[in-house]
């Protein structure tokens, strides 16, 4: 069972009146609450008078303070296979709006603040194909026999819990999307041809970053704190006890994660929830997350991130914290 440590701490320095500070958490993983918000800087000695360091970020409900050296901007699955129209993805407008917010606000702010930028992407190996669960295969390679985004779930007026009223549209195989399947040569919007490679496999065109994001990553590799690319083989990059993402975070001492990418209610949300369960500080950048699901799916995650799963802010708020135009 988790142990919650709560202390009342007084602070008086530089003429400031004392005000309540409450230490919350367990040894090695604590936050500090004050009327100004939550301090997520994870100081070595949280009971001491803390220096005025860190970066303040506006959030929904309550603001936070982070330590840039312990913080990463995580950009999830902004890859050709999900965004490039040559591969016939759902092409939902919110996904491309998230891309714009990441490029215009989140990445410049992260660079200025000295945050680590992590590109967390699908990238399978032959070993992954040998152990991929059927639930993942169904999600990628079977389509619902409905043209409606919600499959028709919102059309019913009778009791939705009565099995007699369950949708019976069924599913059909679309094995051209099966992970590991050769996608062949495809024509891009400019008329050029490219070998898309095997679906979801690392090192292929279809798992490369989409559009201007690819250039942002290449530029980031030359930054003072170079960008890193980490492969994942499930919706969540932290689904198992030992993962490349988790190992990297622990090795680098990163405690605070700012989440962006697609889809909000799938890979972004799954990774965020697992990070939350493993004790990382989790913050969703709501304008930097997009989904092809209906709006209520994203709103559900935003509602829970505002309090239950961490904090809810935006790419624009991160730009404000970095003193950039927004």
């Amino acid at each position: 069972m988790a142990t919650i440590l709560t202390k009342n701490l007084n602070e008086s320095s530089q003429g400031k009146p004392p005000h309540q500070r409450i230490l919350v958490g367990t040894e090695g993983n604590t936050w500090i609450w004050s009327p100004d918000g939550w301090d997520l800087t994870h100081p070595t000695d949280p009971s001491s008078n803390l220096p005025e360091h860190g970066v303040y970020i506006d959030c929904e409900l309550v603001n936070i303070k982070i330590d840039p050296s312990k913080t990463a901007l995580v950009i999830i699955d902004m890859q050709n296979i999900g965004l490039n129209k040559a591969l016939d993805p759902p092409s939902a407008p919110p996904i491309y709006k998230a891309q714009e917010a990441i490029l215009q606000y989140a990445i410049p702010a992260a660079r200025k603040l000295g945050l680590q930028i992590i590109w967390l992407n699908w990238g399978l190996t032959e070993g992954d194909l040998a152990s991929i669960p059927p639930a993942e295969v169904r999600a990628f390679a079977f389509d619902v026999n409905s043209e409606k985004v919600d499959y028709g779930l919102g059309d019913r007026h009778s009791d939705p819990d009565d099995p007699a009223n369950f949708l019976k549209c069924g599913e059909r195989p679309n094995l051209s999307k099966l992970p590991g399947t050769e996608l062949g040569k495809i024509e891009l919007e400019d008329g050029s041809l490219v070998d898309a490679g095997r679906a979801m496999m690392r090192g292929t065109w279809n798992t490369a970053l989409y559009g201007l994001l690819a250039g942002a990553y290449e530029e980031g590799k030359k930054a003072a704190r170079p960008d890193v690319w980490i492969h994942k083989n499930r919706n969540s990059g932290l689904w198992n006890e030992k993962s490349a993402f988790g190992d990297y975070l622990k090795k680098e001492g990163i405690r605070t994660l700012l989440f962006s990418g697609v889809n909000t209610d799938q890979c972004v949300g799954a990774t965020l929830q697992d990070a939350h369960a493993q004790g990382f500080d989790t913050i969703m950048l709501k304008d930097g997350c997009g989904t092809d699901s209906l709006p209520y799916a994203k709103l559900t995650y935003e509602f829970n991130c505002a309090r239950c799963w961490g904090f809810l802010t935006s790419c624009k708020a991160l730009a404000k914290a970095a003193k950039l135009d927004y």
Side-chain angles (χ1 to χ4, degrees):
M1 181 176 288
T3 301
I4 306 296
L5 174 65
T6 305
K7 293 181 179 178
N8 289 332
L9 303 173
N10 291 324
E11 175 182 66
S12 58
S13 62
Q14 300 178 353
K16 294 181 182 179
H19 67 281
Q20 189 180 43
R21 298 165 63 227
I22 301 176
L23 181 67
V24 177
T26 57
E27 184 177 357
N29 190 10
T30 56
W31 293 352
I32 300 169
W33 175 89
S34 76
D36 298 326
W38 287 95
D39 183 323
L40 313 184
T41 58
H42 298 278
T44 303
D45 182 6
S47 63
S48 64
N49 289 327
L50 301 179
E52 289 296 323
H53 76 286
V55 173
Y56 291 89
I57 302 178
D58 290 320
C59 295
E60 300 280 11
L61 303 186
V62 62
N63 295 337
I64 59 174
K65 182 168 75 167
I66 64 168
D67 181 343
S69 68
K70 301 173 185 174
T71 302
L73 168 65
V74 185
I75 306 172
I76 299 177
D77 291 353
M78 303 294 286
Q79 298 167 275
N80 282 323
I81 196 162
L83 282 84
N84 197 296
K85 294 179 181 178
L87 289 172
D88 195 29
S91 298
I95 289 177
Y96 300 102
K97 287 185 66 177
Q99 177 199 15
E100 293 173 8
I102 291 169
L103 287 167
Q104 185 173 354
Y105 303 114
I107 291 176
R111 298 241 194 276
K112 184 175 180 183
L113 294 172
L115 311 186
Q116 180 64 64
I117 297 181
I118 300 173
W119 302 81
L120 182 63
N121 296 312
W122 278 101
L124 302 178
T125 65
E126 294 298 337
D128 294 328
L129 290 180
S131 61
I132 194 167
E136 295 284 7
V137 176
R138 179 194 181 202
F140 287 118
F142 287 77
D143 295 333
V144 178
N145 295 320
S146 174
E147 298 301 320
K148 298 181 178 180
V149 176
D150 72 342
Y151 321 126
L153 291 170
D155 295 342
R156 294 174 298 194
H157 301 289
S158 51
D159 181 4
D161 301 321
D162 184 343
N165 299 322
F166 286 0
L167 299 181
K168 304 297 183 186
C169 54
E171 298 175 335
R172 64 186 182 277
N174 185 358
L175 300 185
S176 64
K177 295 182 179 179
L178 189 70
T181 299
E182 284 285 358
L183 298 175
K185 289 191 178 297
I186 60 171
E187 184 176 350
L188 304 182
E189 289 181 291
D190 64 2
S192 62
L193 295 176
V194 64
D195 182 358
R198 296 170 65 196
M200 312 297 291
M201 303 298 283
R202 64 179 63 179
T204 61
W205 179 88
N206 73 89
T207 55
L209 291 169
Y210 170 70
L212 296 176
L213 294 161
Y217 168 65
E218 291 300 323
E219 180 183 347
K221 290 196 293 185
K222 307 170 195 171
R225 194 175 184 182
D227 291 14
V228 297
W229 180 305
I230 298 177
H231 299 288
K232 64 184 180 70
N233 57 9
R234 296 288 192 279
N235 280 356
S236 169
L238 291 167
W239 68 276
N240 55 353
E241 187 174 347
K242 186 142 182 92
S243 65
F245 185 37
D247 289 347
Y248 176 82
L249 296 176
K250 291 168 187 173
K251 177 174 70 74
E252 297 296 322
I254 295 173
R255 309 293 298 272
T256 304
L257 305 176
L258 304 170
F259 284 91
S260 63
V262 296
N263 281 309
T264 311
D265 51 324
Q266 296 167 27
C267 293
V268 176
T271 307
L272 184 149
Q273 285 187 268
D274 282 342
H276 168 74
Q278 293 183 27
F280 292 98
D281 311 332
T282 50
I283 300 131
M284 175 175 279
L285 303 177
K286 55 182 175 177
D287 55 346
C289 296
T291 183
D292 53 24
S293 302
L294 288 175
Y296 61 70
K298 183 173 186 285
L299 291 174
T300 297
Y301 265 86
E302 291 182 5
F303 173 79
N304 282 286
C305 286
R307 181 167 170 80
C308 296
W309 297 335
F311 301 90
L312 181 64
T313 186
S314 67
C315 297
K316 288 185 177 181
L318 188 62
K320 177 185 176 184
K323 296 181 171 52
L324 297 174
D325 291 337
Y326 64 94

